[in-house]
Amino acid sequence: MILDRKFPDYKLGLMKFIECDKFHLTQFIGQCPEFYSDTFADSSYNGPMNPHNPAEFEKLPLTLLKGVGPQLAEKLQHLGIETILDLLFHLPLRYQDRTRLTPIGSLQQGDDVVIEGTVAGSSVVFGKRRSLMVKVQDGTGTTTLRFFHFSAAQKSNLQSGTRIRCFGEVRFGRAGLEMYHPEYRLLSGSNPEPMEDTLTPVYPATEGLQQVRLRKLIEQVFAYLDQRQALPDYLPEELREQANFMPLLDALRIIHYPPPDMSLARLQTGQHPAQVRLVFEELLANYLSLRKLRDEARRANAPAFTHKGNLRARLLAHLPFNLTRAQEKVVKEIARDLGHHQPMLRLVQGDVGSGKTMVALIAALQAIESGYQAAIMAPTEILAEQHFLNLDQWLQPLGVEMTFLSGKIKGKKREAVLQALATGQTQLIVGTHALFQNEVHFHKLGLVVVDEQHRFGVHQRLTLREKGRKDDTVPHQLIMTATPIPRTLTMSAYADLDCSVIDELPPGRTPVNTVLIPAERRPEVVQRISAACKEGRQVYWVCTLIEESEALQCQAAEATYADLSSSLPQLKIGLIHGRMKPKEKADVMAAFKNGDIQLLVATTVIEVGVDVPNASLMVIENPERLGLAQLHQLRGRVGRGKAASHCLLLYQNPLSQVSKMRLGIMRESNDGFYIAEKDLEIRGPGEILGTRQTGLMAFRIADLTRDSHLQPKVKTWADKIRARHPEVIDPLIKRWLANAEQYGNV
Ligand code: ADP
Ligand code: MG
């Protein structure tokens, strides 16, 4: 009897359904005679390549393996597996332990286990769904197997007294501990059946390609390698010796077939030498690929901005403040880059409120004074508008021509904007992604500034670079992020960029005092708002929702607005959310800014960019739903003036352990870098880099949280390899990243 079991795989962040084993392994293999042979099928191969030559091993096609025809090859291709080597580097996502039997009496909810016992009765129950329930006992206890799909034959096979071995996840069901749709097999005879002698790998799989198939194919590859020793190791001898790395093939074998004494818990720590060996190599390949991208980008030509600095001097002369030392340092770094023909690729990191916009503006002025256009792109409409309004106040006196473009600008107005860009009349354009659509033509684009870059992946970064290309000239690129990215993560994700850090806030900011308050104490919070407004302060109330839906977020904000309006009738209350027209939003923001609104109810649209120094109190509802970086961004809207500011995190009980920790970090620290480091530890890199960057951080074995301590060593060796062993760079990248976004699109 062959059964399919489906389970979701979370590692890739997708609810991708992976088909699990056909259970009855030996029987299954019996039906597929090609699996009998372990030996490699090269004897029948007469192609041009010599599979005995290590270099050519890299190119050996899958069809050389027994059992791989065009159909299977196509399925494998879906997984990015095109050669035998790809198969060898198709590493398990996780493992199952089928090396030992678990006594039924000691089953624990959530465990994946093998049990063995005797059927003690079965029955079909008709609940919400018809299901076959089979009681199994082994002398230590009894458990129930539950099948929703079952055949008559299956039912009659599972008679009382039948001996059975099952593998599956233990769950808590109506009948106590149960196993839903376990893989199982009937036992006959009195000899004990052998257990698996290694942990069972679970591979990334795809529809119609079962685990057992992948396993058998990978076994063939190992059998081949055992005979030929053909796998080249690209890590330089000196590295392997100094780091005391185990041989590549041994490491791969352990990862594909971990011995039973290598516990699952141990594997999770990533400390086994086999893991370290492969993780290191993967991080190295990733780093080398980003460096290579950077080298390639540098080879293009960019305009060198030679200018006297007149515009900058005039801007600085009428600013009501001096640049901070940190701003000055970064401005200098950028100015130096912009003076060269080599395209600038620079990431500016600076905490919320550190004054990144000013730095970007000064860069833009350098382009403009040199006769080029500059573009500033923001990820959202509201942020782009905000930039436009902010910049306008500085640019008006300088006589710089600036316009705005987003998807919402349509018809005649749009035509006029495009026209002015194409003729070069517009010197600075601010907008959203709309800036880089096909019908947008620049006259002489010299600088692209991307705000909040962490929301875009490497791929988008590359596309942007290409969009600005004219013949062999590309614009300089400046990327700004308000989510500080921990250093080790920068090395993995941004090694193609130079990095500047604005590590200082303008003077006069008071740290925000953050307090956690359970939702039951909401009335007290409302009183506090009232008191703050009486003192002439202004207040934000931020509504959050788990749902991605903007519509629902807006509804929630509207409800809160209505609610607060009735409990605080004496206050002037405003509402802002993403569904309002740009003009309406701008009006509300303007009213808040000049004090006509005292309490602003908002969705997370105010996350970035909004600047009202007199606002000194912020309430964030359900903060446990947001990432720390986002909370830090939001909180950065207060604490911009002289008054002591407060942020009240109005959380919903009960809080999970992790949420408690995370909110505790918010209370404890105002330092964006520290918060980002902690968020990385607690929630992993996906959250910090923007969760939906598929491909960017999909490593095969490395785990950026667990393995980040290796990053400095990776960098050191990457530099050595670039200097002394450049010939291994491409093979390493190809081996690990051939199908990854970073490389595939170049
Ligand atoms: P962020 O880095 O979060 O984008 P902004 O560029 O929005 O920060 O700057 C926040 C506020 O600080 C703005 O009102 C800006 O005008 C102001 N600002 C920028 N630089 C300085 C400075 N050197 N001194 C005082 N205020 C500054
Ligand atoms: Mg900003």
Short mmCIF file of all heavy atoms in Angstrom, two decimals, residues 321-324 327 350-358 387 390 394 451 482 506-507 509 609 611 637 640, ligand 1:
data_model
loop_
_atom_site.label_atom_id
_atom_site.label_comp_id
_atom_site.label_asym_id
_atom_site.label_seq_id
_atom_site.Cartn_x
_atom_site.Cartn_y
_atom_site.Cartn_z
N PHE A 321 19.93 74.99 10.73
CA PHE A 321 20.80 74.18 11.60
C PHE A 321 22.10 73.85 10.88
O PHE A 321 22.21 74.05 9.68
CB PHE A 321 20.09 72.89 12.02
CG PHE A 321 19.46 72.14 10.87
CD1 PHE A 321 20.24 71.43 9.95
CD2 PHE A 321 18.06 72.13 10.70
CE1 PHE A 321 19.65 70.75 8.90
CE2 PHE A 321 17.47 71.44 9.64
CZ PHE A 321 18.27 70.74 8.74
N ASN A 322 23.06 73.37 11.62
CA ASN A 322 24.30 72.88 11.01
C ASN A 322 24.18 71.38 10.80
O ASN A 322 23.50 70.69 11.56
CB ASN A 322 25.49 73.13 11.93
CG ASN A 322 25.75 74.62 12.09
OD1 ASN A 322 25.63 75.38 11.12
ND2 ASN A 322 26.03 75.03 13.32
N LEU A 323 24.89 70.90 9.78
CA LEU A 323 24.92 69.45 9.60
C LEU A 323 25.62 68.83 10.82
O LEU A 323 26.53 69.44 11.39
CB LEU A 323 25.70 69.08 8.34
CG LEU A 323 25.09 69.51 7.01
CD1 LEU A 323 25.93 68.95 5.86
CD2 LEU A 323 23.64 69.06 6.87
N THR A 324 25.18 67.64 11.17
CA THR A 324 25.90 66.95 12.25
C THR A 324 27.24 66.46 11.68
O THR A 324 27.42 66.39 10.46
CB THR A 324 25.11 65.73 12.74
OG1 THR A 324 24.95 64.82 11.65
CG2 THR A 324 23.75 66.13 13.28
N GLN A 327 26.65 63.57 9.45
CA GLN A 327 26.15 63.95 8.12
C GLN A 327 27.28 64.48 7.26
O GLN A 327 27.41 64.13 6.09
CB GLN A 327 25.06 65.03 8.24
CG GLN A 327 23.69 64.48 8.61
CD GLN A 327 22.71 65.61 8.92
OE1 GLN A 327 23.06 66.56 9.64
NE2 GLN A 327 21.51 65.51 8.40
N GLY A 350 21.20 55.03 8.45
CA GLY A 350 21.11 56.02 9.52
C GLY A 350 19.81 55.81 10.25
O GLY A 350 18.78 55.54 9.63
N ASP A 351 19.87 55.92 11.54
CA ASP A 351 18.69 55.70 12.36
C ASP A 351 17.60 56.71 11.97
O ASP A 351 17.88 57.73 11.35
CB ASP A 351 19.08 55.85 13.84
CG ASP A 351 18.24 54.96 14.72
OD1 ASP A 351 17.16 54.53 14.27
OD2 ASP A 351 18.66 54.70 15.87
N VAL A 352 16.38 56.40 12.39
CA VAL A 352 15.28 57.32 12.12
C VAL A 352 15.63 58.70 12.64
O VAL A 352 16.11 58.83 13.76
CB VAL A 352 14.02 56.88 12.92
CG1 VAL A 352 12.78 57.42 12.26
CG2 VAL A 352 13.98 55.41 13.10
N GLY A 353 15.41 59.70 11.83
CA GLY A 353 15.63 61.06 12.28
C GLY A 353 17.07 61.51 12.22
O GLY A 353 17.41 62.61 12.67
N SER A 354 17.95 60.70 11.65
CA SER A 354 19.36 61.09 11.63
C SER A 354 19.65 62.10 10.51
O SER A 354 20.75 62.61 10.41
CB SER A 354 20.25 59.85 11.47
OG SER A 354 19.96 59.19 10.27
N GLY A 355 18.64 62.37 9.68
CA GLY A 355 18.82 63.40 8.66
C GLY A 355 19.37 62.89 7.34
O GLY A 355 20.23 63.53 6.72
N LYS A 356 18.83 61.78 6.90
CA LYS A 356 19.29 61.21 5.63
C LYS A 356 18.83 62.04 4.43
O LYS A 356 19.54 62.14 3.43
CB LYS A 356 18.78 59.77 5.48
CG LYS A 356 19.42 58.81 6.48
CD LYS A 356 18.95 57.39 6.27
CE LYS A 356 17.50 57.19 6.63
NZ LYS A 356 17.21 57.37 8.06
N THR A 357 17.63 62.62 4.55
CA THR A 357 17.10 63.37 3.41
C THR A 357 18.03 64.51 3.02
O THR A 357 18.26 64.77 1.85
CB THR A 357 15.71 63.95 3.77
OG1 THR A 357 15.00 62.96 4.49
CG2 THR A 357 14.95 64.33 2.53
N MET A 358 18.58 65.17 4.02
CA MET A 358 19.49 66.28 3.76
C MET A 358 20.73 65.79 3.00
O MET A 358 21.21 66.44 2.08
CB MET A 358 19.86 66.92 5.10
CG MET A 358 20.46 68.28 5.02
SD MET A 358 19.55 69.43 3.98
CE MET A 358 18.03 69.65 4.89
N HIS A 387 8.54 63.56 1.00
CA HIS A 387 9.85 64.02 0.53
C HIS A 387 9.71 65.24 -0.34
O HIS A 387 10.45 66.21 -0.23
CB HIS A 387 10.52 62.92 -0.30
CG HIS A 387 11.32 61.96 0.50
ND1 HIS A 387 12.12 62.35 1.56
CD2 HIS A 387 11.48 60.63 0.41
CE1 HIS A 387 12.70 61.30 2.07
NE2 HIS A 387 12.33 60.23 1.41
N ASN A 390 8.90 68.27 1.76
CA ASN A 390 10.06 68.66 2.56
C ASN A 390 11.12 69.33 1.71
O ASN A 390 11.67 70.37 2.08
CB ASN A 390 10.71 67.43 3.22
CG ASN A 390 10.00 67.07 4.49
OD1 ASN A 390 9.32 67.90 5.07
ND2 ASN A 390 10.15 65.83 4.91
N TRP A 394 13.28 73.62 0.82
CA TRP A 394 14.70 73.95 0.70
C TRP A 394 15.07 74.39 -0.72
O TRP A 394 15.98 75.19 -0.91
CB TRP A 394 15.59 72.75 1.07
CG TRP A 394 15.26 72.08 2.37
CD1 TRP A 394 14.91 70.77 2.55
CD2 TRP A 394 15.27 72.67 3.67
NE1 TRP A 394 14.70 70.51 3.87
CE2 TRP A 394 14.91 71.66 4.59
CE3 TRP A 394 15.54 73.97 4.15
CZ2 TRP A 394 14.81 71.88 5.95
CZ3 TRP A 394 15.44 74.18 5.51
CH2 TRP A 394 15.07 73.16 6.39
N ASP A 451 15.21 55.57 -1.43
CA ASP A 451 14.99 55.62 0.01
C ASP A 451 14.37 54.31 0.47
O ASP A 451 13.58 53.72 -0.24
CB ASP A 451 14.05 56.79 0.33
CG ASP A 451 14.16 57.21 1.80
OD1 ASP A 451 15.04 56.67 2.51
OD2 ASP A 451 13.38 58.08 2.22
N ALA A 482 16.59 53.29 6.63
CA ALA A 482 16.38 53.73 8.00
C ALA A 482 16.33 52.53 8.92
O ALA A 482 16.26 52.67 10.13
CB ALA A 482 15.08 54.51 8.11
N PRO A 506 20.76 64.54 15.21
CA PRO A 506 20.91 65.99 15.43
C PRO A 506 20.73 66.31 16.90
O PRO A 506 20.01 65.60 17.60
CB PRO A 506 19.78 66.59 14.59
CG PRO A 506 19.49 65.58 13.54
CD PRO A 506 19.75 64.26 14.18
N PRO A 507 21.38 67.36 17.38
CA PRO A 507 21.31 67.68 18.81
C PRO A 507 19.90 68.08 19.20
O PRO A 507 19.09 68.47 18.36
CB PRO A 507 22.26 68.87 18.95
CG PRO A 507 22.43 69.44 17.58
CD PRO A 507 22.23 68.30 16.63
N ARG A 509 17.53 66.24 20.50
CA ARG A 509 16.51 65.20 20.54
C ARG A 509 16.52 64.56 21.92
O ARG A 509 17.57 64.27 22.46
CB ARG A 509 16.80 64.11 19.51
CG ARG A 509 16.93 64.60 18.10
CD ARG A 509 15.58 64.57 17.40
NE ARG A 509 15.59 65.40 16.20
CZ ARG A 509 15.97 64.97 15.00
NH1 ARG A 509 16.36 63.74 14.87
NH2 ARG A 509 15.95 65.77 13.98
N GLY A 609 9.12 59.09 7.46
CA GLY A 609 9.17 60.40 6.83
C GLY A 609 8.39 61.53 7.48
O GLY A 609 8.78 62.68 7.35
N ASP A 611 7.16 64.31 9.84
CA ASP A 611 8.00 65.07 10.74
C ASP A 611 7.22 66.21 11.40
O ASP A 611 6.97 67.23 10.79
CB ASP A 611 9.17 65.63 9.92
CG ASP A 611 10.26 66.16 10.82
OD1 ASP A 611 10.38 65.66 11.96
OD2 ASP A 611 10.98 67.06 10.39
N ARG A 637 8.77 58.93 15.00
CA ARG A 637 7.96 60.13 14.67
C ARG A 637 7.85 61.05 15.87
O ARG A 637 7.52 62.21 15.72
CB ARG A 637 6.53 59.74 14.24
CG ARG A 637 6.43 58.84 13.06
CD ARG A 637 7.13 59.40 11.86
NE ARG A 637 8.30 58.59 11.57
CZ ARG A 637 9.37 59.02 10.93
NH1 ARG A 637 9.45 60.26 10.55
NH2 ARG A 637 10.37 58.21 10.70
N ARG A 640 11.17 64.31 18.38
CA ARG A 640 11.86 65.17 17.41
C ARG A 640 11.94 66.61 17.89
O ARG A 640 12.56 67.45 17.25
CB ARG A 640 11.13 65.12 16.08
CG ARG A 640 11.06 63.72 15.56
CD ARG A 640 10.59 63.65 14.14
NE ARG A 640 11.20 62.49 13.55
CZ ARG A 640 11.72 62.45 12.33
NH1 ARG A 640 11.67 63.49 11.55
NH2 ARG A 640 12.29 61.34 11.89
P1 ADP B 1 15.61 60.38 8.38
O1 ADP B 1 17.05 60.07 8.50
O2 ADP B 1 14.77 59.60 9.31
O3 ADP B 1 15.11 60.33 6.96
P2 ADP B 1 15.04 63.14 8.07
O4 ADP B 1 15.92 63.36 6.93
O5 ADP B 1 13.58 63.05 7.81
O6 ADP B 1 15.48 61.87 8.88
O7 ADP B 1 15.33 64.27 9.15
C1 ADP B 1 14.57 64.39 10.30
C2 ADP B 1 14.42 65.84 10.69
O8 ADP B 1 15.67 66.32 11.13
C3 ADP B 1 13.98 66.72 9.57
O9 ADP B 1 13.07 67.65 10.10
C4 ADP B 1 15.23 67.42 9.15
O10 ADP B 1 14.97 68.67 8.59
C5 ADP B 1 15.96 67.54 10.45
N1 ADP B 1 17.40 67.63 10.35
C6 ADP B 1 18.19 67.05 9.42
N2 ADP B 1 19.48 67.31 9.69
C7 ADP B 1 19.53 68.05 10.80
C8 ADP B 1 20.57 68.66 11.56
N3 ADP B 1 21.84 68.50 11.22
N4 ADP B 1 20.23 69.36 12.66
C9 ADP B 1 18.93 69.50 13.01
N5 ADP B 1 17.92 68.96 12.33
C10 ADP B 1 18.19 68.26 11.24
#
